[in-house]
């Protein structure tokens, strides 16, 4: 029963999809941490720090059963998009609107 509740709260994602996405986020987190550690002589880029922050925020949302819903329209982010950008905060449509406004 708990898996059903978690899946429903995490944008209706199946437990196995959620596990795969969590693993991907953990791999990205480890990669970014290592990247920031090894760039001792090079100032860490803002981009690497930003991605790490986004990845950690996505993991926090997973732990709080709030992962996978768009922060603007609150609709579920498609599994296809999450597989490409597991730390995504916005659905494709809302991301396009945000990008167009920049």
């Amino acid at each position: 029963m708990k898996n059903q509740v978690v899946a429903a709260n995490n944008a209706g994602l199946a437990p196995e999809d959620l596990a795969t996405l969590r693993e991907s986020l953990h791999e990205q987190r480890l990669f970014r941490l290592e990247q920031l550690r090894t760039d001792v002589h090079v100032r860490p880029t803002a981009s690497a720090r930003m991605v790490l922050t986004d990845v950690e925020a996505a993991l926090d949302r997973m732990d709080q059963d709030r992962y996978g819903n768009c922060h603007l329209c609150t609709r579920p982010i498609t599994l296809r998009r999450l597989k490409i950008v597991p730390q995504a905060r916005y659905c494709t449509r809302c991301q396009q609107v945000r990008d167009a406004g920049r």
Side-chain angles (χ1 to χ4, degrees):
M1 175 108 173
K2 183 177 180 183
N3 285 342
Q4 292 173 342
V5 172
V6 171
N9 290 339
N10 282 304
L13 294 167
E16 58 272 8
D17 291 329
L18 198 58
T20 300
L21 291 165
R22 182 182 296 275
E23 183 178 329
S24 177
L25 286 164
H26 278 295
E27 288 172 6
Q28 282 192 50
R29 183 178 182 276
L30 290 174
F31 173 78
R32 295 300 174 176
L33 286 170
E34 185 63 26
Q35 182 182 30
L36 292 171
R37 275 190 211 111
T38 58
D39 288 344
V40 173
H41 300 293
V42 179
R43 187 173 174 176
T45 65
S47 176
R49 285 190 303 264
M50 186 172 66
V51 171
L52 178 59
T53 299
D54 288 345
V55 166
E56 289 177 339
L59 288 166
D60 287 343
R61 289 191 304 276
M62 275 187 178
D63 291 342
Q64 298 169 9
D65 297 333
R66 298 183 301 109
Y67 177 78
N69 288 319
C70 178
H71 282 214
L72 290 178
C73 71
T74 69
R75 292 184 180 139
I77 300 170
T78 64
L79 179 58
R80 180 176 179 212
R81 175 162 169 74
L82 290 171
K83 284 182 177 180
I84 297 167
V85 186
Q87 70 272 20
R89 293 174 187 249
Y90 306 103
C91 67
T92 303
R93 184 179 62 87
C94 289
Q95 185 66 57
Q96 290 170 343
V97 169
R98 285 180 51 84
D99 291 346
R102 290 184 185 173

